Amino acid sequence: LPEDFPYPVLVQMRLDGGRYANLVKQMARVSALPVELADTGDAAKVGTIHILAGDVGLEVRDGALRFAGAAETLVPSLPLPQSAVGMLSGADPGLVPAVLAFAAQGGWAAGQHGEGCYDPAAASQLIDAGMTAGTPEQLASELVQRSLA
């Protein structure tokens, strides 16, 4: 994503051992956007990649999206229609129903396919339901195009 991407980017992964600070460092080396670890109570910032631990969700408070301590609130709290959810390799299949409900309400949802997708279970369910499919690079390009519209 380009350094002038006009939305916050939220990345939620479940990592064995909870080494989210290491993921922040790894992502920061390859990202044009700043990368931060999301802390409960902090607001999501435009043009920033926020790494969310597996138990972090969202809430709308004081007119802003803020990180909260309930992961199940992540997808339902995304503002519509400008939000997007991409499920990449290894995504939790248990989140698919919430993502499909999000898409039915006007959000954009997509799933990774192709080489490098070692665990396509969740992404394939989205694709089978008619959502956009592509490589991570293709999905990022579509996000950029959507942000310009």
Side-chain angles (χ1 to χ4, degrees):
L1 298 172
E3 62 186 31
D4 62 348
F5 191 71
Y7 295 102
V9 177
L10 312 179
V11 176
Q12 186 177 54
M13 297 176 64
R14 303 210 190 282
L15 297 177
D16 291 336
R19 298 177 160 242
Y20 295 99
N22 289 344
L23 180 59
V24 169
K25 291 177 193 172
Q26 291 172 344
M27 295 277 296
R29 286 193 288 248
V30 297
S31 175
L33 298 171
V35 182
E36 299 179 357
L37 187 60
D39 286 322
T40 300
D42 287 351
K45 299 178 203 168
V46 169
T48 301
I49 296 174
H50 300 278
I51 304 297
L52 284 69
D55 60 349
V56 174
L58 282 177
E59 65 182 5
V60 178
R61 188 168 28 107
D62 303 327
L65 280 177
R66 295 191 177 279
F67 301 111
E72 62 275 0
T73 65
L74 181 60
V75 174
S77 295
L78 294 172
L80 294 166
Q82 66 270 32
S83 294
V85 174
M87 296 190 94
L88 304 180
S89 184
D92 181 357
L95 295 174
V96 171
V99 173
L100 290 175
F102 161 83
Q105 295 175 29
W108 183 78
Q112 177 184 355
H113 74 68
E115 294 224 10
C117 191
Y118 67 91
D119 179 4
S124 293
Q125 288 180 41
L126 286 184
I127 295 165
D128 290 346
M131 302 297 114
T132 301
T135 64
E137 295 82 5
Q138 290 167 332
L139 300 179
S141 178
E142 287 205 37
L143 281 175
V144 171
Q145 292 304 311
R146 285 179 48 85
S147 75
L148 299 173

